[in-house]
């Protein structure tokens, strides 16, 4: 394998242009997928079930090991000398809080509000670590597993991918902000060659697969709660109207751009989600929620290694495959898009800022939201008000959420606000994804430049097509989850290649430099007093064979 040290200086950029070949091939591939799902729904579900079982059985152990390594690596960056490496020169483009909020919206989605209320109930009914179902221990560990799945593992995956892409783009000064571009820089396979083009196509299809789960879950939850609130029938027409509404919101935001649209939308969403959690904490069983959250965090930390590597070799491993491995693949499906987005908005930041914002900012935000929402549902169960696990098992999470909202004070107003935040949350998430897809289908996109607003608008519309087809054909959540697994498998291996290249670059570029020297360089770069070192002026050969 070869790591190329050559790069294309940003100053030599030519005029950005649309990558029509990539756009056309991707659209055709997506339309064929949609056609297959619509024409053969029963066969699609049967094949999906078998593929899901085979893929998760084969890859469970490697995925668990890699994600644990990502957590360790992200923490290492925060506390090592390498964390002070600055990504480009000048002051950061965005203030810290909106910047972190944009990360949260890019890495999370409206599905957070869905799972925040009912995920614990699934774990109570079918717990991990071979804990007896519906036991007191299962109830305690249910919130701990929610914290685990929405905590360090997911955000470490984003952090490693984001830091690798940002380092490649801002420090090594490569001009192609794409998955194929960074793979070319690591392996030597040309981004414009057959393998590079295949990687770009897989990136686009994979992004659609990851978003499909979010769109389907959100739309079904929204339509069920809206029908309960208004008395209107929960039909496909309502669900299609919801998808169109959401598409209109994130399309408008995407057209406006990052600073005018995405930044404001992300800020609104994060404050709205945190306000939801705060409202439940204040109006609900405050004492119980606080104690349950603290206990859950403690259980998560004390069992972290066991949960991270639990393969259940003496059993069937169903819990790990259906939950942990699925969640890790779901994170992988988002990581290429999140990585490109992180690189685009992080000029002027240090590596430790990026790692901390994702790993700590993302995890703590999830724990706050899940702790409050899940604590409310658990309290309802313990006091005999609402048997959420039974509702989830018999009628689904959407019905359980509707019943939980009905039991909240001022239930109509609470439901309306919950649905509003859910829609804006999804809009901001898809907005970030549409931006990265548009960036990947634009040639020669210079640092600080955005892809065409019309191209972003085009991809916004396309991103709504696949989930709408799945909803129309009543495909099960298992089929949707399988689409995530299958489209994420190539990304898993590509992400390992990115991580390898990132570590290798850090070793080549900074192994002989002291922490004090790196800090001094970082301060100068922050003031814009000199340019960051590029791969072309390093003191090694143009190509390093490894």
């Amino acid at each position: 394998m070869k790591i190329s040290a050559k790069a294309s200086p940003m100053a030599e950029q030519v005029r950005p242009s649309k990558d029509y070949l990539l756009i056309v091939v991707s659209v055709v591939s997506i339309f064929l997928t949609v056609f297959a799902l619509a024409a053969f729904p029963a066969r699609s579900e049967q094949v999906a079930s078998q593929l899901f079982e085979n893929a998760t059985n084969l890859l469970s152990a490697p995925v668990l090991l890699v994600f644990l390594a990502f957590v360790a690596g992200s923490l290492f960056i925060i506390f090592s000398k390498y964390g002070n490496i600055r990504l480009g020169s000048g002051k950061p483009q965005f203030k810290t809080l909106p910047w972190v909020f944009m990360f949260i919206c890019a890495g999370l989605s409206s599905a957070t509000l869905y799972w925040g209320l009912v995920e614990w109930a699934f774990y109570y009914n079918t717990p991990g670590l071979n804990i007896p179902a519906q036991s007191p221990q299962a109830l305690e560990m249910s919130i701990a597993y929610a914290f685990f799945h929405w905590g360090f593992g997911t955000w470490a995956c984003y952090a490693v991918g984001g830091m690798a892409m940002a380092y490649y783009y801002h420090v090594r000064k490569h001009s192609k902000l794409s998955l194929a571009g960074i793979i070319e820089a690591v392996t030597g396979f040309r981004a414009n060659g057959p393998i590079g083009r295949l990687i770009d196509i897989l990136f686009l299809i994979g992004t659609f697969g990851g978003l499909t789960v979010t769109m389907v879950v959100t739309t079904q939850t929204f339509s069920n709660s809206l029908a309960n609130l208004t008395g209107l029938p929960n039909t496909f027409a309502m669900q299609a109207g919801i998808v169109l509404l959401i598409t209109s919101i994130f399309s408008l935001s995407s057209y406006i751009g990052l600073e005018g649209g995405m930044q404001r939308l992300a800020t609104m969403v994060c404050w709205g989600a945190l306000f939801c959690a705060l409202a439940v904490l204040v109006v609900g069983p405050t004492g119980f929620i606080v104690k349950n959250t603290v206990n859950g965090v403690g259980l998560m930390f004390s069992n972290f290694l066991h949960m991270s590597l639990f393969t259940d070799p003496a059993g069937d491993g169903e819990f790990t495959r259906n939950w942990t491995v699925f969640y890790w693949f779901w994170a992988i499906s988002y990581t290429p898009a999140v990585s490109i987005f992180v690189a685009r908005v992080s000029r002027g930041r240090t590596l430790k800022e990026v790692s901390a914002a994702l790993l700590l900012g993302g995890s703590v935000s999830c724990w706050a939201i899940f702790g409050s929402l899940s604590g409310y549902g658990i309290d309802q169960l313990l006091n005999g008000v609402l048997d959420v696990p039974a509702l989830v098992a018999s009628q689904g999470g959407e019905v359980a959420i509707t019943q939980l909202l009905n039991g909240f004070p001022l239930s109509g107003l609470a439901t309306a606000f919950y649905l509003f935040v859910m829609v804006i949350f999804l809009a901001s998430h898809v907005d970030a994804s549409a931006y990265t897809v548009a960036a990947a289908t634009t040639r020669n996109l210079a640092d600080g430049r955005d892809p065409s607003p019309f191209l972003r608008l085009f991809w916004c519309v396309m991103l709504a097509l696949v989930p709408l087809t799945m909803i129309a054909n009543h495909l099960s959540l298992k089929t949707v989850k399988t689409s995530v697994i299958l489209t994420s498998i190539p990304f898993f291996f590509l992400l390992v290649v990115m991580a390898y290249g990132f570590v290798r670059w850090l070793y080549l570029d900074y192994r002989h430099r002291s922490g004090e020297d790196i800090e001094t360089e970082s301060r100068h770069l922050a003031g814009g007093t000199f340019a960051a070192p590029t791969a072309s002026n390093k003191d090694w050969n143009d190509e390093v064979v490894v």
Side-chain angles (χ1 to χ4, degrees), residues 275-287:
F275 180 80
C276 277
L278 181 63
V280 173
L281 175 66
V282 172
V283 179
T286 306

Side-chain angles (χ1 to χ4, degrees), residues 91-95 258-259 263 344-345 347-349 448:
K91 295 182 178 180
Q93 181 179 359
F94 301 98
K95 293 181 179 179
L258 283 177
E259 296 195 25
Q263 182 181 196
R344 170 60 184 84
V345 301
R347 178 175 52 82
R349 296 287 178 176

Side-chain angles (χ1 to χ4, degrees), residues 268-334:
M268 181 191 306
V269 165
C270 288
W271 283 124
L274 291 174
F275 180 80
C276 277
L278 181 63
V280 173
L281 175 66
V282 172
V283 179
T286 306
F288 175 80
I289 289 174
V290 172
K291 289 190 293 184
N292 190 61
T293 300
V294 171
N295 188 64
V297 170
L299 285 171
M300 186 270 296
F301 275 113
S302 62
N303 291 277
F304 186 80
L305 281 179
H306 193 187
M307 297 161 81
S308 296
L309 301 177
F310 178 64
T311 58
D312 193 17
D316 60 7
E318 186 175 0
F319 178 88
T320 298
R321 290 187 290 107
N322 286 344
W323 289 104
T324 304
V325 174
F326 163 70
Y327 265 124
W328 290 174
F329 271 114
W330 196 8
I332 289 169
S333 74
Y334 282 143

